[in-house]
């Protein structure tokens, strides 16, 4: 069976792990600091703050910008649920704005209509590894005095106009095993703002600004030294992993380009798409439904997945919270998208198998 993701810990983490275990310093320490420094350098921001997950990165970023009860945050309905949940954790209201059907990311042209006097931020998601159209979104943020939070949990190393995702607003990354790089569980906040940095550092550690001196209500969302050691090894290999993903995507697109009704992932101008997912659209003209093609792939040993079968606005939780508003493009996408394996450990033969299995459908 070819799996949709196949996390591997490459690199020389072994020695480092032995050292950590014998040192007795297991929680947030020197290696976490080193990892933060290396990650900020890679993304091109002044600072990075390591946390326990992508979800906690989003939560702390919003809190650090003072977002709370009564505030509204504009976001996409087509993402993993964590991007909207983080807004709800703060007591703020997620205001959904529909997607651009080509990239599956927020459509900048629809955002301004969603702004009210309570809007404080835009939380955009760089879905599948491709940056959303940052420039017009930043322009809206500047004109309306809004904060930009970038959910880059699927976009480590992705670029927009030659700059890394996560360097435009406050960047949030996840290091969950299926992502382009992993630490087991883990996350990172990237920013060049020293005030936001200090607030995030305090918030991840019970609001502590000096030892046992707590100025705000914080959390325990620290990263361990073990996770940081894994992350340092992974960061060195991220460029290679991403190149492999991009090459795999190119091979898949070459092999699938002439099938009527299969819409291949679009790479938009000025973007480096790092293919966290290689997601096709199974359009209505295709002779099988999306679910029909999915069953055919699985029956032939090719794993695949639907990201995501429900827009967040259609999730029962969001229905109960009163956010069940129509999002026609996200709803259409959720019935048509299918992610094929694209991860770095696929061989040329695996890719040929995927192509042949789709062709035989
Ligand atoms: C994975 C992911 C998250 C959450 O990251 P965790 O580390 O699992 O908490 C948030 N947003 C998006 C878009 C993701 O893909």
């Amino acid at each position: 069976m070819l799996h949709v993701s196949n996390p591997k810990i490459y690199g020389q983490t072994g020695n480092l792990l032995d050292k950590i275990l014998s040192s007795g310093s297991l929680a947030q320490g020197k290696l976490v600091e080193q990892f933060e420094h290396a990650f900020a350098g890679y993304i091109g921001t002044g600072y990075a703050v390591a946390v326990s997950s992508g979800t906690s990165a989003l939560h702390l970023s919003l809190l650090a910008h003072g977002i709370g009860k009564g505030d509204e945050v504009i976001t996409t309905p087509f993402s993993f649920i964590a991007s909207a949940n983080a807004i709800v954790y703060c007591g703020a209201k997620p205001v959904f704005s529909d997607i651009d059907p080509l990239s599956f990311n927020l459509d900048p042209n629809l955002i301004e209509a969603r702004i009210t006097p309570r809007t404080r931020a835009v939380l955009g998601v760089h879905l599948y590894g491709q940056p959303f159209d940052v420039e017009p979104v930043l322009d809206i943020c500047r004109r309306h005095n809004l904060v930009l939070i970038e959910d880059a949990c699927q976009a480590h190393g992705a670029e927009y106009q030659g700059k890394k995702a996560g360097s435009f607003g406050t960047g949030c990354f996840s290091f969950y095993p299926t992502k382009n790089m992993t630490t087991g569980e883990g996350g990172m906040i990237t920013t060049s703002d020293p005030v936001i940095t200090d607030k995030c550092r305090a918030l991840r550690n019970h609001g502590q600004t000096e030892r046992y001196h707590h100025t705000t209500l914080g959390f325990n969302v620290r990263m361990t030294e073990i996770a940081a050691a894994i992350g340092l090894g992974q960061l060195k290999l991220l460029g290679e992993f991403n190149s492999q993903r991009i090459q795999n995507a190119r091979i898949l697109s070459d092999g699938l380009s002439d099938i009527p009704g299969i819409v291949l992932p679009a790479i938009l101008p000025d973007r480096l798409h790092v293919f966290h997912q290689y997601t096709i659209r199974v359009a209505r003209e295709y002779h099988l439904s999306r679910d029909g093609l999915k069953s055919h792939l699985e029956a032939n040993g090719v794993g695949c997945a639907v990201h995501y079968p429900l827009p967040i606005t259609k999730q029962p939780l969001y229905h109960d919270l009163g956010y069940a508003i129509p999002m026609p493009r996200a709803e259409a996408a959720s019935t048509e998208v299918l992610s094929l394996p694209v991860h770095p450990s696929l061989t040329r033969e695996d890719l040929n198998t995927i192509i042949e299995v789709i062709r035989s459908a």
Side-chain angles (χ1 to χ4, degrees):
M1 185 82 181
L2 292 175
H3 296 283
V4 174
S5 73
N6 185 16
K8 278 198 176 141
I9 306 299
Y10 304 78
Q12 271 74 49
T13 337
N15 286 341
L16 213 43
L17 288 182
D18 279 345
K19 260 196 228 158
I20 294 165
L21 294 175
S22 54
S23 79
S25 170
L26 273 69
Q28 184 186 298
K30 288 238 154 41
L31 287 169
V32 169
E33 226 171 87
Q34 255 184 55
F35 182 35
E36 290 176 334
H37 192 77
F39 200 81
Y42 176 76
I43 299 299
T45 54
Y47 312 95
V49 180
V51 289
S52 58
S53 70
T55 306
S56 50
L58 290 162
H59 183 198
L60 265 50
S61 294
L62 290 161
L63 288 176
H65 283 285
I67 287 153
K69 212 170 155 47
D71 295 333
E72 294 180 357
V73 178
I74 296 174
T75 193
T76 170
F78 202 57
S79 177
F80 180 56
I81 195 139
S83 52
N85 280 0
I87 300 166
V88 179
Y89 295 160
C90 299
K93 178 184 171 191
V95 173
F96 295 97
S97 184
D98 214 350
I99 57 169
D100 153 39
L102 254 189
S103 66
F104 305 102
N105 279 323
L106 270 179
D107 182 343
N109 297 315
L110 303 178
I111 292 176
E112 268 183 302
R114 313 292 290 147
I115 294 176
T116 75
R118 291 168 176 262
T119 309
R120 291 283 320 281
V122 176
L123 192 161
V125 179
H126 303 301
L127 199 72
Y128 304 150
Q130 172 154 247
F132 60 80
D133 200 357
V134 178
E135 193 170 84
V137 176
L138 261 182
D139 184 54
I140 292 167
C141 289
R142 283 194 201 101
R143 279 189 284 110
H144 296 271
N145 197 23
L146 307 176
V147 167
L148 177 65
I149 309 283
E150 295 174 73
D151 181 336
C153 290
Q154 303 188 356
H156 319 66
E159 292 177 13
Y160 179 86
Q161 295 179 353
K163 285 180 67 186
K164 293 268 192 308
S167 68
F168 297 93
T170 302
C172 301
F173 293 84
S174 164
F175 303 123
Y176 187 73
T178 57
K179 312 290 179 171
N180 291 34
M181 63 174 281
T182 184
T183 63
E185 293 273 10
M188 193 75 84
I189 299 160
T190 51
T191 175
S192 291
D193 182 335
V195 177
I196 295 299
T197 304
D198 285 346
K199 283 187 179 167
C200 289
R201 287 197 175 135
L203 284 166
R204 78 173 156 187
N205 192 21
H206 283 294
Q208 177 171 285
T209 44
E210 284 169 53
R211 197 171 177 80
Y212 300 128
H213 189 84
H214 305 270
T215 47
T216 51
L217 180 64
F219 308 88
N220 172 3
V221 292
R222 296 178 299 251
M223 180 179 273
T224 65
E225 290 287 272
I226 300 154
I230 299 169
L232 279 163
Q234 287 266 302
L235 185 57
K236 290 202 185 97
L237 294 161
L238 178 62
E240 238 170 83
F241 290 166
N242 282 346
S243 303
Q244 197 62 52
R245 284 176 182 274
I246 291 164
Q247 192 186 324
N248 292 349
R250 201 173 295 140
I251 292 168
L252 288 172
S253 286
D254 284 347
L256 300 171
S257 63
D258 56 348
I259 306 176
I262 297 282
V263 183
L264 303 176
I267 303 177
L268 277 82
D270 284 329
R271 264 157 269 205
L272 180 70
H273 186 329
V274 293
F275 287 97
H276 170 62
Q277 300 295 348
Y278 181 91
T279 304
I280 59 170
R281 217 184 232 280
V282 185
R284 288 186 219 294
E285 319 70 277
Y286 191 67
H287 64 285
L288 289 177
S289 67
R290 186 271 312 278
D291 294 335
L293 179 59
K294 183 171 186 283
S295 304
H296 173 78
L297 282 160
E298 284 164 351
N300 287 281
V302 177
C304 51
V306 175
H307 303 106
Y308 295 90
L310 286 179
I312 297 173
T313 41
K314 288 268 188 182
Q315 292 287 351
L317 168 67
Y318 281 77
H319 190 276
D320 293 350
L321 289 170
Y323 302 129
I325 48 168
M327 287 281 133
R329 293 174 181 176
E331 285 160 29
S334 69
T335 65
E336 294 184 358
V337 290
L338 187 63
S339 302
L340 306 176
V342 73
H343 56 78
S345 26
L346 293 169
T347 63
R348 181 69 208 228
E349 206 186 329
D350 295 335
L351 293 161
N352 287 341
T353 303
I354 298 164
I355 292 164
E356 276 159 30
V357 170
I358 295 182
R359 291 200 157 277
S360 72

